[in-house]
Amino acid sequence: MKIARFSRVGFILAAAGSAVGLGNIWKFPYITGVNGGGAFVFAYLITVLMIGFTLMLAEMLIGYTGRKDSVTSFETLAPQQNSLWKYAGFMSLAGLFIMIFYAPVIGWTLHFIVLSAANLPSSVEMAKEHFNTLVSLDVGTQIFYHTLVFIFVTYVVAKGIKGGIEKLNYFLMPVLIVTMGSMFIYATSLDGFEKAWTFMFSPDWSKLTSASLVTAVGHAFFTLSLGMATIMTYSASLPKDSNLVRSSLIVIALDTGIALVAGLTLFTFLYEYGASPSAGPGLVFVSLPAVFYEMGSVGHLFAFVFFVALASAGLTSAVSLVEPVIQYLVDRYSFSRLKASLSAGLFFYLFGIIAILSISKEYGALFTFGSRNFFDWTDFVTASIMLPTGGLLMSLFVGHVMQEERVAKILKKQLGLFYPFWYFSLRYIVPLALVIVLLNLVGILEL
Ligand code: PFF
């Protein structure tokens, strides 16, 4: 059977589509706000450059040379086919776990598209009430939109790499770039822009705690889709003779660019209308709708456009979160794509419903364990523990387990003079940084 592969542009769009997601537009601005702005942004940018780039290249390399699902790629690339390494491939499960909270949040964005087409809440109080009602009381509405997300994502992945994922990204990525770009241009003309700029780029180092550093590193992984075999799985479908260095640089530039643009735009709007940047997870669902209302008719249009952009970003990431497991089921167990997609889809659908129940008033207590409800646990365990652990395993594998000749054969020419720096960073700096991050977690873990 001939395997469908990405086109070169298709791969970059799909990898960027995976990277640019709710993480950039929803999570990045709010965690920047909560963690005090500039110093946090700085920590995040450094991590993206130092750890993100090194690891993205390593992850691409495993997929590109392994050519199969993550478990098989680790298995075949390990010298003497050391069978224990194949278990590292199960990092792909993290994607399904992420979908447990990611799919319901995409559901919220769909609800907000409808809301902004009808009528926006006219004050922060009303917006707060609306959002709280949605997440804590209105289980039915959430399950309705969650179901739509399940059907859409399952349909796209069932269509395959070329006919589903590549097509979706060809369509939605331009939508995202144009919508976010035009709102950004508008934002630059407002007075609040300068304040937003200062907030994001003038660091106040006293605000950088070890907890916010861990958040910054965790987020760098999350936003670049690293550490859970997504980039690896996509890279298994790269055309031969692809330039991995160029592809990773483009993906990182797009991802970082869109996060900064989203942050600047949102903070400008919030400052312009006197709202606080540190409102937490409700930032785009509470403060922003109220600000859009204040802006009048242009605000109504922007609200609609903004939530369409957010949903697009979320959907292109969602397909990439389930694809690694699908590829595993297809490659190792000869599942049809449809059967594999339905299995993965049903998993996140059913657990997603539990996540929705866990934040509701009525059933929350049933699904709260220790200091967190099920929804928050899946977020915390995946972004703060699973992705850094996956990244650590990948850096050890490419840096210390795979034969260097194999690595050098592909990357020496592409990296040129930078090859020794990259290899050093992969072997020592990245693992060390990740071990520190993981150890730090023990300190901040409140059970
Ligand atoms: N990068 C996505 C975002 O920023 O929303 C989320 C994500 C997608 C994380 C794919 C991990 C992943 F493998």
Side-chain angles (χ1 to χ4, degrees):
M1 189 178 76
K2 193 173 169 322
I3 299 171
R5 300 219 181 277
F6 282 119
S7 67
R8 263 168 240 277
V9 178
F11 171 78
I12 290 178
L13 280 181
S18 163
V20 179
L22 300 177
N24 301 58
I25 308 176
W26 165 63
K27 211 169 172 191
F28 175 68
Y30 98 67
I31 56 178
T32 300
V34 171
N35 288 284
F40 178 82
V41 173
F42 188 78
Y44 154 80
L45 287 178
I46 294 282
T47 321
V48 164
L49 277 179
M50 306 265 306
I51 301 185
F53 171 69
T54 309
L55 261 181
M56 182 169 287
L57 207 48
E59 183 164 347
M60 272 190 190
L61 184 81
I62 301 176
Y64 182 67
T65 35
R67 287 262 160 235
K68 283 273 174 197
D69 66 280
S70 52
V71 176
T72 314
S73 291
F74 270 106
E75 192 174 46
T76 49
L77 293 176
Q80 283 108 38
Q81 313 225 334
N82 177 341
S83 63
L84 276 184
W85 269 103
K86 79 172 181 211
Y87 294 106
F90 287 108
M91 62 179 66
S92 58
L93 285 173
L96 282 193
F97 295 151
I98 292 176
M99 277 301 277
I100 293 173
F101 71 91
Y102 209 81
V105 179
I106 301 178
W108 299 348
T109 67
L110 297 181
H111 169 73
F112 273 80
I113 294 180
V114 175
L115 183 76
S116 49
N119 54 348
L120 289 168
S122 58
S123 67
V124 173
E125 264 51 58
M126 280 181 70
K128 211 177 252 166
E129 198 184 309
H130 184 94
F131 183 65
N132 286 343
T133 308
L134 174 71
V135 296
S136 65
L137 298 173
D138 201 350
V139 170
T141 302
Q142 284 190 85
I143 293 183
F144 170 73
Y145 286 108
H146 180 56
T147 308
L148 292 186
V149 174
F150 157 67
I151 294 172
F152 185 85
V153 170
T154 308
Y155 174 78
V156 173
V157 284
K159 287 268 177 203
I161 285 274
K162 192 113 193 133
I165 296 179
E166 183 168 306
K167 247 196 200 143
L168 177 80
N169 280 287
Y170 261 111
F171 179 66
L172 287 187
M173 282 308 278
V175 170
L176 175 68
I177 292 174
V178 170
T179 46
M180 289 309 293
S182 37
M183 278 197 290
F184 177 68
I185 293 173
Y186 177 77
T188 56
S189 72
L190 301 176
D191 292 338
F193 187 75
E194 212 177 300
K195 277 198 197 143
W197 184 275
T198 313
F199 180 67
M200 279 186 67
F201 298 119
S202 302
D204 171 357
W205 300 113
S206 66
K207 296 215 168 116
L208 201 61
T209 59
S210 68
S212 55
L213 259 180
V214 172
T215 311
V217 178
H219 186 67
F221 270 85
F222 185 82
T223 190
L224 293 174
S225 304
L226 291 176
M228 53 137 289
T230 278
I231 297 293
M232 192 185 297
T233 304
Y234 275 9
S235 305
S237 296
L238 263 169
K240 278 276 170 225
D241 300 321
S242 295
N243 189 322
L244 305 187
V245 174
R246 193 181 321 136
S247 306
S248 30
L249 286 176
I250 299 176
V251 172
I252 291 175
L254 275 172
D255 186 72
T256 312
I258 293 183
L260 295 178
V261 159
L264 281 170
T265 309
L266 259 59
F267 292 133
T268 303
F269 290 167
L270 295 170
Y271 277 125
E272 188 76 13
Y273 291 92
S276 153
S278 46
L283 190 72
V284 306
F285 296 110
V286 175
S287 320
L288 204 59
V291 163
F292 281 138
Y293 177 85
E294 294 271 319
M295 287 164 88
S297 48
V298 70
H300 275 76
L301 178 66
F302 274 174
F304 182 74
V305 165
F306 175 80
F307 286 111
V308 168
L310 194 55
S312 310
L315 288 169
T316 53
S317 298
V319 294
S320 81
L321 284 162
V322 287
E323 177 61 19
V325 168
I326 293 174
Q327 181 128 346
Y328 170 72
L329 294 174
V330 170
D331 282 356
R332 302 278 293 207
Y333 297 100
S334 307
F335 271 40
S336 67
R337 276 211 69 103
L338 182 64
K339 191 168 155 203
S341 309
L342 274 174
S343 317
L346 278 174
F347 179 91
F348 80 73
Y349 180 62
L350 296 176
F351 281 103
I353 291 180
I354 296 182
I356 290 174
L357 294 177
S358 82
I359 51 175
S360 71
K361 208 161 167 186
E362 202 170 341
Y363 308 97
L366 273 178
F367 302 104
T368 297
F369 314 99
S371 62
R372 291 181 173 86
N373 57 39
F374 181 65
F375 186 102
D376 292 340
W377 270 116
T378 50
D379 179 6
F380 176 74
V381 171
T382 50
S384 303
I385 303 177
M386 293 180 89
L387 303 191
T389 308
L392 180 62
L393 290 175
M394 282 191 272
S395 62
L396 294 176
F397 185 75
V398 179
H400 297 273
V401 177
M402 253 175 99
Q403 290 133 340
E404 203 206 334
E405 289 151 49
R406 271 189 118 151
V407 178
K409 196 168 138 218
I410 295 176
L411 291 181
K412 217 169 193 163
K413 207 158 103 218
Q414 296 186 14
L415 277 164
L417 281 179
F418 293 104
Y419 176 78
F421 296 104
W422 171 79
Y423 199 53
F424 181 83
S425 159
L426 184 73
R427 282 168 71 89
Y428 304 109
I429 300 182
V430 169
L432 191 72
L434 290 177
V435 168
I436 294 175
V437 168
L438 287 166
L439 288 178
N440 231 313
L441 263 183
V442 182
I444 61 165
L445 195 66
E446 300 159 28
L447 289 173

